[in-house]
Amino acid sequence: MKRIGMLLLLLFFLVWSKPEEVSACSCVMPPPVDQALEEAKAVFSGKVVGITESTKSWNRGKTVTFQVNEIWKGEETGKIEIRTGLDDGDCGFPFVEGESYLVFATVNEMYGKNTLATGICHRTASLADASEELSELGSGKIIEQSNETTSVGNKTMDAGWKVAISCVLLILIVITIYSRKKK
């Protein structure tokens, strides 16, 4: 019985001590503007009004909130949240609060189900550096400012399976210890 308790305790620690995943960014040339528009879930221009960083292994990255000015594809709303990596090592785009950008966002499950994301491998660029893209896109829909925020599925990755396994293991450890003390 003692052996089972130790095994369960070891399994509990193995589940929670999983090494952090490491990734490196490698990009090919971005696709032409028309192809990037087709592949994107949302294409818009806007000003960064908020950046939140998370370094948790299951939710690593930045959430960037934009005040949308013009939209070429996606939901027509005044504010949009997207995700990106923390830096160029994980393909994160270096957004600066208060600056304006042309954003090509795709759905990326790495940040959560149906989450809009962009990075240095997309055609996302500072609005001042996006003249080629803006010329090819033509006029988009001008968005009237509002306070509603859209974040297509912007949810943290579900770590529920870890919690469930931990609870089961904890219960089994308690039962094992209790039954051992009873003898």
Side-chain angles (χ1 to χ4, degrees):
M1 198 56 102
K2 182 178 181 182
R3 198 176 255 177
I4 291 173
M6 292 300 285
L7 226 121
L8 291 173
L9 189 60
L10 178 65
L11 187 59
F12 176 80
F13 286 112
L14 285 175
V15 167
W16 282 99
S17 66
K18 178 183 148 247
E20 188 172 321
E21 292 180 25
V22 177
S23 62
C25 186
S26 177
C27 305
V28 294
M29 289 293 292
V33 175
D34 59 338
Q35 184 180 343
L37 177 65
E38 184 180 318
E39 293 172 356
K41 176 80 173 175
V43 178
F44 62 91
S45 67
K47 180 178 179 179
V48 175
V49 294
I51 300 175
T52 306
E53 288 189 13
S54 175
T55 56
K56 297 175 184 172
S57 63
W58 52 271
N59 189 27
R60 188 175 171 81
K62 295 178 191 174
T63 300
V64 184
T65 305
F66 289 89
Q67 183 70 49
V68 178
N69 298 322
E70 194 170 1
I71 193 156
W72 289 267
K73 185 174 183 180
E75 190 171 335
E76 296 174 4
T77 183
K79 286 193 179 180
I80 294 179
E81 287 183 349
I82 64 160
R83 296 293 309 267
T84 193
L86 289 174
D87 54 40
D88 61 359
D90 61 355
C91 298
F93 192 90
F95 291 109
V96 176
E97 195 162 349
E99 297 293 318
S100 294
Y101 298 88
L102 175 63
V103 179
F104 288 79
T106 57
V107 172
N108 187 328
E109 302 293 324
M110 181 173 88
Y111 297 111
K113 188 173 173 122
N114 296 322
T115 301
L116 286 177
T118 194
I120 60 174
C121 298
H122 292 90
R123 289 202 75 105
T124 296
S126 164
L127 210 51
D129 297 329
S131 58
E132 175 191 339
E133 288 86 352
L134 290 167
S135 168
E136 289 191 44
L137 287 171
S139 295
K141 177 160 175 62
I142 303 297
I143 301 298
E144 292 189 30
Q145 302 307 311
S146 72
N147 289 327
E148 63 186 64
T149 301
T150 296
S151 55
V152 178
N154 189 9
K155 299 174 186 156
T156 58
M157 286 188 165
D158 185 11
W161 66 270
K162 279 188 178 182
V163 173
I165 290 173
S166 298
C167 289
V168 169
L169 290 175
L170 190 59
I171 289 169
L172 290 173
I173 290 169
V174 169
I175 290 171
T176 302
I177 292 171
Y178 179 73
S179 65
R180 191 174 136 215
K181 285 184 177 183
K182 213 175 178 186
K183 290 182 180 182

